[in-house]
Amino acid sequence: MQWFKHTLLAGLLLSLVPLSDAMAAAAVVTHISGTLSVEKAGGGITLLSQNSEVEQGDTLTTEKGAYARLKFTDGGEVTLRPGTRLKIDSYAYDETAPAGDSFVFSLLKGGLRTVTGLVGKRGNQNASRLTTAHATIGIRGTRYGALSCNGDCAGLANGLYLDVVEGISNASNSAVSLDVSASQCGYVESFNKVPILLPGDPGNLGFETETPQFEAGSDTPPPPAAGCAPGGS
């Protein structure tokens, strides 16, 4: 009986401490226009609103015509295009423990723009990366955009498009690794094809994440603003 009491007490203590850590929010929805939903790691889909919290393991989806901006605890921001699916595979940020930083997220569909926070700028410089079907994107102090096309990007060939405003993004796949620097655009046709630099923005790769028109509940999407200058593919 005494053993049972000790075991029960230990189990209760162990369940309480990790619970606060596991439920800690990775980010909060600061702006939203249209419908944004989340699929939790354990199943179940819920609609999100402004100030909703997002956790590690969540998969976010914006519907047609919807934009959403997330603010992460490390200060980084991610803005989702309409028709986007993004999974937060791994997120860890402790102000006092830079060595444990991690931000790994997967672009399953659609596109985004991001301004990186402290993860990847301190401690492990490779702690932040974006995975896609075409390449893994290494992020180094970057403000950039990514767009994955699969028959759903008007006027653009299928593949992954990158545009960098600040810093460097590295596109790496089974073929080769390519650095895309500020004011440059990159393109990856598939995971087995060599990433290349484009002469310019082939068409609406970017959208501004800091425009005052993009407010909570607004129906006005942000205007185009890619890191590379307009040009042809």
Side-chain angles (χ1 to χ4, degrees):
M1 187 67 178
Q2 191 71 18
W3 173 86
F4 175 78
K5 289 181 179 180
H6 284 304
T7 303
L8 180 61
L9 178 60
L12 288 172
L13 291 174
L14 287 172
S15 66
L16 288 175
V17 175
L19 183 61
S20 61
D21 293 335
M23 297 300 291
V28 64
V29 179
T30 60
H31 298 76
I32 187 171
S33 172
T35 301
L36 171 67
S37 63
V38 60
E39 181 177 354
K40 308 301 288 186
I45 299 176
T46 305
L47 294 181
L48 299 180
S49 59
Q50 188 178 12
N51 297 322
S52 291
E53 293 184 344
V54 176
E55 304 168 357
Q56 174 180 284
D58 286 354
T59 299
L60 304 168
T61 300
T62 52
E63 299 299 331
K64 182 178 179 180
Y67 290 82
R69 185 187 301 164
L70 311 173
K71 181 80 170 185
F72 286 81
T73 58
D74 73 330
E77 293 186 357
V78 174
T79 301
L80 305 180
R81 285 176 174 263
T84 293
R85 280 177 57 80
L86 180 75
K87 181 178 181 182
I88 303 173
D89 299 297
S90 172
Y91 182 82
Y93 171 72
D94 183 339
E95 189 176 355
T96 63
D101 286 354
S102 174
F103 187 8
V104 180
F105 51 129
S106 297
L107 181 60
L108 306 176
K109 178 185 178 184
L112 55 78
R113 295 200 70 78
T114 181
V115 179
T116 56
L118 291 177
V119 173
K121 294 181 179 178
R122 58 174 207 161
N124 181 5
Q125 300 300 302
N126 298 313
S128 181
R129 64 184 184 275
L130 172 67
T131 63
T132 75
H134 308 86
T136 297
I137 312 303
I139 304 160
R140 291 175 292 201
T142 307
R143 179 181 172 193
Y144 74 99
L147 176 63
S148 179
C149 296
N150 185 24
D152 51 3
C153 300
L156 293 177
N158 291 343
L160 177 68
Y161 295 84
L162 295 172
D163 75 272
V164 178
V165 178
E166 296 176 1
I168 297 175
S169 292
N170 176 269
S172 178
N173 61 15
S174 63
V176 75
S177 178
L178 174 72
D179 282 344
V180 183
S181 302
S183 301
Q184 290 183 327
C185 277
Y187 171 69
V188 189
E189 182 179 348
S190 71
F191 194 77
N192 297 317
K193 296 287 187 178
V194 175
I196 63 172
L197 293 177
L198 298 176
D201 182 355
N204 193 25
L205 292 191
F207 56 91
E208 186 53 67
T209 62
E210 299 171 354
T211 174
Q213 290 101 321
F214 186 33
E215 299 295 342
S218 170
D219 292 326
T220 305
C228 48
S233 58

